[in-house]
Amino acid sequence: MIEQRYTSAQLAELLDAELLGPPDLELSNLAAIDEGGPGSITFIRSEEYARRWKDSACSAALVSRSLKHNTDHDPSQRALLIVDSADSAFITLLHRIRPEMHSNDGVHPTAVVDPTAHLKPDTRVGPGAVIGPETTFGTGCTVGAGVVIGARCTIGNDTTLRPKCVIEDRCTIGDRCTLQPGVLIGGDGFGFVPSPDGNGLQKVPHAGSVEIGNDVEIGSGSTIDRGKLSPTRIGDGTKIDNQVQIAHNCVIGKACLICAQTGIGGSTTIGDGVTIGGLVGVADNISIGAGSSIGAGSGVMHNVPAGEKWLGYPASPSSRALRQWAFMRKVGLDQLPKAPGDHEKQG
Amino acid sequence: MIEQRYTSAQLAELLDAELLGPPDLELSNLAAIDEGGPGSITFIRSEEYARRWKDSACSAALVSRSLKHNTDHDPSQRALLIVDSADSAFITLLHRIRPEMHSNDGVHPTAVVDPTAHLKPDTRVGPGAVIGPETTFGTGCTVGAGVVIGARCTIGNDTTLRPKCVIEDRCTIGDRCTLQPGVLIGGDGFGFVPSPDGNGLQKVPHAGSVEIGNDVEIGSGSTIDRGKLSPTRIGDGTKIDNQVQIAHNCVIGKACLICAQTGIGGSTTIGDGVTIGGLVGVADNISIGAGSSIGAGSGVMHNVPAGEKWLGYPASPSSRALRQWAFMRKVGLDQLPKAPGDHEKQG
Amino acid sequence: MIEQRYTSAQLAELLDAELLGPPDLELSNLAAIDEGGPGSITFIRSEEYARRWKDSACSAALVSRSLKHNTDHDPSQRALLIVDSADSAFITLLHRIRPEMHSNDGVHPTAVVDPTAHLKPDTRVGPGAVIGPETTFGTGCTVGAGVVIGARCTIGNDTTLRPKCVIEDRCTIGDRCTLQPGVLIGGDGFGFVPSPDGNGLQKVPHAGSVEIGNDVEIGSGSTIDRGKLSPTRIGDGTKIDNQVQIAHNCVIGKACLICAQTGIGGSTTIGDGVTIGGLVGVADNISIGAGSSIGAGSGVMHNVPAGEKWLGYPASPSSRALRQWAFMRKVGLDQLPKAPGDHEKQG
């Protein structure tokens, strides 16, 4: 997949790596350690990977310096390239091989751009995209085919909106963000109160907006609702996976990781650096402290203190949850002792 | 955020409220009780809010009449406006400050409207929207940018379809409905049977439709599949949050509330006035009785009688679920007594 | 709903069925056994349905041959049509009554098709659809309104993409596939590693693609991410329901059934013929053996051997899960015996 072939020595120079092995190996593609063959470069990021190196058919590996001495290696046949971080060096190579996603230059003639929108000369707007009045862009933005942006939105520099995203009126996206296909930003929050006449429900208008910081990624099909008065906020550097739901007035901190299909209830606050697994539900009006982590599939109904790991449905500190799971494992295996009188009481 | 400033006396008149405090306070924005400052109007909807009033920096509060005497108030400095319902009065103000979502008038020249579709003179159709043959609209409808409506659909009066909604052929939407961005109505139900030749699966065609009543709201990214023969039905006044999935042939009653990311299995019936929390799964072919409520994160596998509260995975009446949770809490805290013989049996 | 009326004898001939009852019954619509009336044809697919026949108002029923003698029937009034499979015969009739989904012929003038894309003469492309460079189609394809297909994709024969689907660059869809509205294929995988400067997260580029086999159906709003190096793969004949999430580098086998709102974590492998219920979470980097089944709402955190049924959160073999649920049922009903000393320890 690398268009240009490298020798092992050329790669070592490119990556500023220490080379252990022949300088003239021909390297032509990237591969996982158990999938590649002759000509493949792989990476060794953990002791587990280091152990697998001797059985790999790859010709060369990027190795994190800390694993240099854990990797059993014969330098007469294959090459190790010792780098600070195998992950980062591999990412450098991935950027070289990954084809840019297709995009037209300039504004496609079928796009509908309001005359009062402020595009930069380098803004790329795909076929059929719609940009509303007074919406402004920083430099270096790409708006994919079929994206709809409402009125008075602000899009920062170097931000990419993949096809079919929707950003409703008055929302803000920061710099260097990527919204994957079909992200839906700025729908009304889900708020209803009983009608004064006692007959059905009355909609609570949502006058707030959504404010997304810098370096945020949002996955395909995720939804973020606008706030009632103050905005729903996503902090800098936070990464959100596919089909995540962020309700109105949530405040999500910086550098959080939120995995697929998780939902955060309205007005909940999530601190910086929080990690949340997939398919987690977080109740409304609670707070998840900075640096905490929530296991996949959990249902969080109470505030989580900073730095704690929680797990389970209902979620509790993971030491408790693991004790619960161990107990239930015994129940499943029928290893719990019968308590006296059990037999009589069940009759 | 209120464009026009009000005095406390003007607001009292506007809302038909009893004013306790100075008539000449200048009020210029709406705010939550713990977020606003001088010039802010907030609302007191519960005893909890009433307690917080003395520490609030807001200048005025809308107070539900039932809480008038619970609210510790010094009328020399700040104003209370006593109303029947603080929520409803606040909504009245929210409607005044919420900017209308941007929409063009008339049919945008890039919209593709089949010549046999029946629009009203006031139908607003956004850029790139597509409307199929013989689809009809009531008065006062707005079709957002990039919406796709198939053939022979019926859309009632005063209904709004936000950008990128899809409504497939022969579906019906009632009056005064709002579909938030990216709602997908009328995909085929998920039905397959083993092929007669024993080789793979055969698709069950779905000839039914989707029928959505009046005053229904559906959140961003939700999906409602068409029925096999009879339609999938959503009753009047029901409110559906984001990323909810309603399978083929469900019949959802009136005035239900279904929170985000919940899924209802095929041919399940849900009575009137049912409340379902977020991330709930409801099995196919069961029935949830009128007026019942299902807690967030539950997995409902059996019929739920009318008026009951159920909870948990698997779901059971909430008194049972709470007992289960209390038991598991003890397990987590390692507070369960060791039963005799436990030690021996685990070896 | 059948446009053309049939007599019972005509239907028997059409379906190659044995007729038990009058040959001249007029049959004009299809209906469920407890919904139809005079003139309705229903189906009897199980003993449960066979028992309900005597109370049905339908005029005729398609009956699986194996149930012929279980069905209490008076041939003087109503007709049974004995067929190999009632399901399959009913599907044959459903195909006759189901109106084709609306589609324009040819390429709609508002579609944006790159001059280097390879369409077939019979490719149908709806209004506003966008097709990127070097993308190729087999014969008999339909591209719905507003679909966006990127560069260098390959679409097989007789494949239908319903409105608003997105297929990003370099993805492959096989023959006879149906993507329901709003399916999102080829977003970047969710991969991040700590930045080398210790400051935030670095995105892992995803250079792989998505490869979808033949006879695959994907439900509304589902998302499938592209792989890092090798493709994310969906096997022939697999059926995926609405709002399902398939992460980067998953390999899903043939003839699997994956129900709504289920999520499969990155690099997980699922064997052939696996059935997964709704709202299931499957962890990343695990393996689900061929022919296994996973119950609705489960959270699968470990490898599942071939052919096993698993259930629960955390998931375990279903015999264990059912024992756990039976235990918790007793806890909920307060039927567990009090162990000695319980009272003292809880104080």
Side-chain angles (χ1 to χ4, degrees):
Chain A
M1 285 202 297
I2 306 183
E3 303 282 321
Q4 185 189 345
R5 284 156 180 271
Y6 295 88
T7 64
S8 40
Q10 284 170 331
L11 259 194
E13 189 177 345
L14 173 69
L15 298 169
D16 196 16
E18 177 188 355
L19 176 65
L20 304 181
D24 54 354
L25 290 175
E26 287 243 333
L27 302 171
S28 58
N29 69 82
L30 309 190
I33 196 163
D34 50 357
E35 290 184 351
S40 299
I41 316 157
T42 189
F43 58 93
I44 295 175
R45 72 195 305 182
S46 68
E47 295 190 15
E48 168 65 22
Y49 282 71
R51 268 191 296 276
R52 290 199 227 155
W53 173 240
K54 65 177 192 300
D55 300 323
S56 171
C58 295
S59 294
L62 311 171
V63 187
S64 293
R65 198 176 308 286
S66 61
L67 297 162
K68 177 178 172 182
H69 300 294
N70 301 60
T71 310
D72 185 15
H73 178 60
D74 171 4
S76 71
Q77 300 296 325
R78 298 191 296 165
L80 292 185
L81 289 93
I82 313 297
V83 291
D84 289 345
S85 156
D87 273 337
S88 286
F90 200 71
I91 285 174
T92 301
L93 294 184
L94 277 169
H95 277 297
R96 295 207 157 216
I97 66 161
R98 180 174 189 265
E100 278 294 298
M101 282 287 184
H102 171 68
S103 172
N104 52 289
D105 287 329
V107 178
H108 195 275
T110 60
V112 177
V113 180
D114 190 278
T116 64
H118 299 280
L119 276 64
K120 288 286 186 298
D122 67 352
T123 308
R124 306 196 290 181
V125 182
V130 177
I131 299 174
E134 297 177 50
T135 282
T136 68
F137 287 86
T139 58
C141 289
T142 301
V143 177
V147 166
V148 175
I149 308 178
R152 284 183 281 151
C153 295
T154 303
I155 316 290
N157 299 314
D158 301 312
T159 279
T160 296
L161 311 175
R162 300 293 317 156
K164 298 287 167 199
C165 289
V166 174
I167 302 172
E168 290 265 46
D169 293 7
R170 295 178 291 111
C171 295
T172 299
I173 317 276
D175 299 338
R176 297 173 303 280
C177 293
T178 301
L179 273 59
Q180 298 291 339
V183 169
L184 304 168
I185 304 284
D188 288 340
F190 190 66
F192 301 90
V193 297
S195 291
D197 61 1
N199 193 1
L201 294 160
Q202 190 179 10
K203 181 181 169 89
V204 177
H206 277 66
S209 65
V210 177
E211 289 182 7
I212 293 174
N214 301 321
D215 302 297
V216 171
E217 175 144 347
I218 303 179
S220 299
S222 287
T223 53
I224 304 180
D225 278 355
R226 66 179 61 242
K228 191 166 87 172
L229 290 166
S230 51
T232 304
R233 289 197 176 96
I234 312 291
D236 294 347
T238 283
K239 315 298 185 187
I240 295 175
D241 200 351
N242 294 1
Q243 296 190 44
V244 168
Q245 148 72 353
I246 312 279
H248 57 97
N249 292 108
C250 283
V251 177
I252 313 286
K254 297 178 180 177
C256 295
L257 270 176
I258 302 179
C259 293
Q261 296 173 305
T262 281
I264 315 289
S267 300
T268 278
T269 298
I270 295 188
D272 296 341
V274 169
T275 300
I276 304 183
L279 270 164
V280 170
V282 178
D284 53 331
N285 289 292
I286 66 172
S287 137
I288 310 278
S292 56
S293 76
I294 311 292
S298 300
V300 183
M301 301 168 192
H302 300 286
N303 294 340
V304 174
E308 296 203 353
K309 291 185 198 301
W310 281 43
L311 189 58
Y313 170 70
S316 60
S318 64
S319 59
R320 292 193 209 171
L322 293 173
R323 213 175 282 133
Q324 291 168 345
W325 290 4
F327 177 90
M328 290 308 290
R329 196 178 130 77
K330 285 194 213 169
V331 170
L333 292 168
D334 210 8
Q335 289 183 345
L336 280 192
K338 290 281 186 298
D342 191 5
H343 200 258
E344 294 89 86
K345 288 197 65 169
Q346 299 316 319
Chain B
M1 283 201 300
I2 305 181
E3 304 281 321
Q4 185 188 344
R5 282 155 181 271
Y6 294 87
T7 63
S8 39
Q10 284 169 331
L11 259 194
E13 189 178 344
L14 174 69
L15 297 168
D16 196 17
E18 175 189 357
L19 175 65
L20 305 180
D24 54 355
L25 289 175
E26 288 244 333
L27 301 172
S28 58
N29 68 82
L30 308 190
I33 194 163
D34 50 359
E35 290 184 350
S40 300
I41 316 157
T42 189
F43 57 95
I44 294 176
R45 73 196 302 183
S46 69
E47 295 191 11
E48 168 66 22
Y49 281 71
R51 268 191 295 278
R52 290 199 226 154
W53 172 242
K54 66 177 192 301
D55 299 323
S56 171
C58 295
S59 295
L62 311 170
V63 187
S64 293
R65 198 175 310 284
S66 61
L67 297 162
K68 177 178 172 181
H69 300 294
N70 301 62
T71 309
D72 184 14
H73 178 59
D74 172 3
S76 71
Q77 300 296 326
R78 300 192 295 166
L80 292 186
L81 290 92
I82 313 299
V83 292
D84 288 345
S85 156
D87 274 337
S88 287
F90 201 70
I91 285 174
T92 301
L93 294 185
L94 277 169
H95 277 297
R96 295 207 157 216
I97 65 160
R98 181 174 187 266
E100 277 295 297
M101 282 287 184
H102 170 68
S103 171
N104 53 289
D105 287 329
V107 178
H108 195 273
T110 61
V112 177
V113 180
D114 191 276
T116 65
H118 300 279
L119 277 63
K120 287 287 185 299
D122 67 351
T123 309
R124 304 196 289 182
V125 182
V130 177
I131 298 173
E134 297 176 50
T135 282
T136 67
F137 287 84
T139 56
C141 289
T142 301
V143 177
V147 165
V148 175
I149 308 178
R152 284 181 280 151
C153 295
T154 303
I155 316 289
N157 298 314
D158 300 312
T159 279
T160 296
L161 311 175
R162 301 293 316 156
K164 299 287 167 200
C165 289
V166 174
I167 301 172
E168 290 265 46
D169 294 6
R170 294 178 290 113
C171 294
T172 300
I173 318 275
D175 298 339
R176 296 173 303 280
C177 293
T178 300
L179 274 58
Q180 298 291 338
V183 169
L184 304 168
I185 304 285
D188 288 340
F190 191 65
F192 300 90
V193 298
S195 291
D197 60 2
N199 193 2
L201 294 161
Q202 190 178 11
K203 181 181 169 90
V204 177
H206 277 67
S209 65
V210 177
E211 290 182 7
I212 294 174
N214 301 322
D215 302 298
V216 171
E217 174 143 348
I218 304 180
S220 298
S222 287
T223 54
I224 303 180
D225 277 357
R226 66 178 61 242
K228 191 166 86 171
L229 289 167
S230 52
T232 305
R233 289 197 178 94
I234 312 290
D236 293 349
T238 282
K239 314 298 183 186
I240 295 175
D241 200 352
N242 293 359
Q243 298 191 42
V244 167
Q245 148 72 355
I246 311 281
H248 56 98
N249 292 106
C250 283
V251 177
I252 313 286
K254 297 178 182 178
C256 296
L257 270 176
I258 303 180
C259 293
Q261 297 174 304
T262 280
I264 315 290
S267 300
T268 279
T269 298
I270 295 187
D272 295 343
V274 170
T275 299
I276 304 183
L279 271 164
V280 169
V282 178
D284 52 332
N285 290 291
I286 66 172
S287 138
I288 310 278
S292 56
S293 75
I294 312 292
S298 299
V300 184
M301 301 169 192
H302 300 287
N303 294 340
V304 173
E308 296 203 352
K309 291 185 197 301
W310 281 43
L311 188 59
Y313 170 71
S316 60
S318 64
S319 59
R320 292 193 210 171
L322 293 173
R323 213 176 280 133
Q324 291 168 345
W325 290 4
F327 177 89
M328 289 308 289
R329 195 178 130 78
K330 285 192 212 169
V331 169
L333 293 168
D334 209 9
Q335 289 183 344
L336 279 192
K338 289 284 185 297
D342 192 7
H343 200 256
E344 294 87 85
K345 286 197 69 168
Q346 299 316 321
Chain C
M1 284 202 300
I2 305 181
E3 304 283 321
Q4 185 188 345
R5 282 156 180 274
Y6 295 89
T7 65
S8 40
Q10 285 170 331
L11 257 194
E13 189 177 345
L14 173 70
L15 297 169
D16 196 17
E18 176 189 356
L19 176 64
L20 304 182
D24 54 354
L25 289 175
E26 288 244 333
L27 301 171
S28 57
N29 68 82
L30 308 189
I33 194 162
D34 50 357
E35 289 185 352
S40 301
I41 316 156
T42 188
F43 58 94
I44 294 175
R45 73 198 302 185
S46 69
E47 296 190 13
E48 167 67 20
Y49 283 71
R51 266 191 296 277
R52 291 199 226 155
W53 174 240
K54 64 178 193 302
D55 300 323
S56 173
C58 295
S59 295
L62 310 171
V63 186
S64 293
R65 198 175 309 285
S66 60
L67 297 163
K68 177 178 172 180
H69 300 294
N70 301 61
T71 308
D72 185 15
H73 178 61
D74 170 5
S76 70
Q77 301 297 326
R78 298 191 296 165
L80 292 186
L81 290 93
I82 313 297
V83 292
D84 289 345
S85 157
D87 274 336
S88 286
F90 200 70
I91 285 174
T92 300
L93 294 185
L94 276 169
H95 277 296
R96 293 204 160 221
I97 66 160
R98 180 175 190 265
E100 278 295 298
M101 282 287 184
H102 170 68
S103 171
N104 53 290
D105 286 330
V107 177
H108 195 274
T110 60
V112 177
V113 180
D114 190 276
T116 65
H118 300 279
L119 276 63
K120 289 285 187 297
D122 67 351
T123 308
R124 305 197 288 181
V125 182
V130 177
I131 299 174
E134 297 175 51
T135 282
T136 67
F137 287 84
T139 57
C141 289
T142 301
V143 176
V147 166
V148 175
I149 308 178
R152 285 182 280 152
C153 294
T154 303
I155 315 291
N157 299 314
D158 301 312
T159 279
T160 296
L161 312 174
R162 301 291 319 153
K164 298 286 166 198
C165 290
V166 174
I167 301 173
E168 290 266 48
D169 294 6
R170 294 178 290 114
C171 294
T172 299
I173 317 275
D175 298 338
R176 297 173 303 280
C177 293
T178 300
L179 274 58
Q180 298 290 339
V183 169
L184 303 169
I185 305 284
D188 288 340
F190 191 66
F192 299 91
V193 297
S195 292
D197 61 1
N199 193 359
L201 293 160
Q202 190 177 11
K203 180 180 169 89
V204 178
H206 276 68
S209 64
V210 177
E211 289 182 9
I212 293 174
N214 301 322
D215 302 297
V216 172
E217 174 143 348
I218 303 179
S220 298
S222 286
T223 55
I224 304 181
D225 278 355
R226 64 178 62 242
K228 189 165 89 172
L229 291 166
S230 52
T232 304
R233 288 197 179 95
I234 311 292
D236 293 348
T238 283
K239 313 298 183 188
I240 295 175
D241 199 351
N242 293 0
Q243 300 192 39
V244 168
Q245 147 72 353
I246 312 280
H248 56 98
N249 292 106
C250 283
V251 177
I252 313 286
K254 297 178 182 177
C256 295
L257 271 176
I258 303 180
C259 293
Q261 297 174 303
T262 280
I264 315 289
S267 300
T268 278
T269 298
I270 294 187
D272 295 343
V274 170
T275 299
I276 304 182
L279 271 165
V280 169
V282 178
D284 51 332
N285 290 291
I286 67 172
S287 140
I288 310 278
S292 55
S293 75
I294 312 292
S298 298
V300 184
M301 300 169 192
H302 300 286
N303 294 340
V304 173
E308 296 202 351
K309 292 184 197 301
W310 281 43
L311 188 59
Y313 170 71
S316 61
S318 63
S319 60
R320 291 192 209 172
L322 292 173
R323 213 175 281 133
Q324 292 168 346
W325 291 3
F327 177 90
M328 290 308 290
R329 197 177 128 78
K330 286 194 212 168
V331 169
L333 292 168
D334 209 9
Q335 289 182 346
L336 280 192
K338 288 285 186 295
D342 192 7
H343 200 258
E344 293 88 85
K345 287 196 68 169
Q346 298 316 321

